[in-house]
Amino acid sequence: MIYLDNGATSFHKPPQVLQAVCRAMRTCANPGRGGYGAAMEAGRVVYQCREEAAALFDCLPEQVVFTGSCTQGLNMGIRTLVKPGARVLISGFEHNAVTRPLHLLGADVRVAGRKLFDPDDTLEAFERELRKGVDAAVFTHVSNVFGYILPVEKMAELCRQHHVPFIIDAAQSAGMFPVSLKELGADFIAMPGHKGLLGPQGTGILLCGRLPDVFLAGGTGSESLQQEMPEYLPDRAEAGTLNVPGISGLAAGIRYIRRQGTDAILQREQQMAQKCIRLLRKWDYQVFSGEHQSGTVSFVPKGDCEELAEQLGSFGIAVRAGLHCAPLAHESAGTLETGTVRISFGHDADFRQILALTEAFGRIND
């Protein structure tokens, strides 16, 4: 299979990730719940992953909170910063993992920046809304639909200047772009473990620039006499048993990323994305591209998006079609009615994938 749906999850994980998961299942018990060997080994594995993540994301190990997904992390951050009815600023390219929690809270949502691959428009609209006054901001680093790289460094700077707390959704950037909690000064940065970090599904990280509100209460292996959750990280945000095999695999994925280098991975993805764009234009598809683009490409074919994705699937090529859980992004781009076909390259991007696409599109358009 030619796998080109890394925007949904990375596939063909590095073998080290699979080995780490299996090793943890053989050797690890419950961290922080005993002084015997298997419990101590679990604690070591978990802390080692915190250290790997802290080194990659420029923060302290205790600021690394493990979650079950990026969605869980975003909900934790949003429920800390956003109270019912609060005025919240978002970009025009947010995922439902941002918009649905805000809707559930009855937030007064302000959308800023609707032009694709136009960071100036994003920044101007963003600052205009900040000057009107907002209670919090939540914005994505990279659009999961179109691969648009938002100017998050400058957006973060604007939030700091206006004293507005903010959350960054790094679902499509962690493991491919530099992400520094220290430099961005974010209150929270949420990310999945299973996408660019190459870990197993069911893992995620919430980088905490502040103490979050209690999202889930329960046992932490610490402060067992008191009924309140601990007032320190990471214990306050990690009630219950951690996914130790998943975290072990995630640590292996992050080690792989650090050895390869995010710059090298991003360069490969972007190179293949540009070759893909040129190929798609050859067939007169409507292709969405721009200067500020990651390794993700969306396009609208002459026919139905879902049908084309199924045709590619019959040739052994995995892509995704539809609205990609991001109707706001499609509304911004004018593709809400049609959706798009999305091709998203990953850490293993290479020219063989382009050759497979060339052959498949040649047969489809013959």
Side-chain angles (χ1 to χ4, degrees), residues 26-146:
R26 289 196 306 267
T27 63
C28 293
N30 204 333
R33 268 68 169 184
Y36 51 90
M40 297 297 286
E41 175 63 11
R44 185 194 67 79
V45 165
V46 169
Y47 191 72
Q48 190 174 57
C49 189
R50 288 196 211 279
E51 290 184 312
E52 293 284 353
L56 183 59
F57 299 119
D58 192 20
C59 64
L60 299 173
E62 57 265 30
Q63 292 178 292
V64 176
V65 166
F66 294 116
T67 63
S69 63
C70 183
T71 297
Q72 181 184 336
L74 285 168
N75 273 264
M76 291 169 68
I78 288 170
R79 286 192 170 271
T80 299
L81 298 188
V82 179
K83 305 311 173 189
R87 183 178 296 177
V88 183
L89 179 59
I90 66 173
S91 83
F93 301 95
E94 300 306 319
H95 190 277
N96 278 343
V98 168
T99 59
R100 282 180 171 173
L102 293 175
H103 176 78
L104 189 63
L105 289 168
D108 178 5
V109 177
R110 305 299 173 93
V111 181
R114 308 299 293 264
K115 295 182 180 179
L116 264 177
F117 309 114
D118 191 339
D120 289 338
D121 173 72
T122 300
L123 287 171
E124 289 169 9
F126 204 77
E127 184 168 23
R128 189 162 53 246
E129 291 297 330
L130 284 172
R131 286 178 173 171
K132 293 178 183 177
V134 298
D135 298 305
V138 189
F139 46 92
T140 188
H141 192 167
V142 178
S143 165
N144 73 304
V145 180
F146 301 102

Side-chain angles (χ1 to χ4, degrees), residues 29 224 270 294:
S224 293
Q270 288 178 318
S294 67

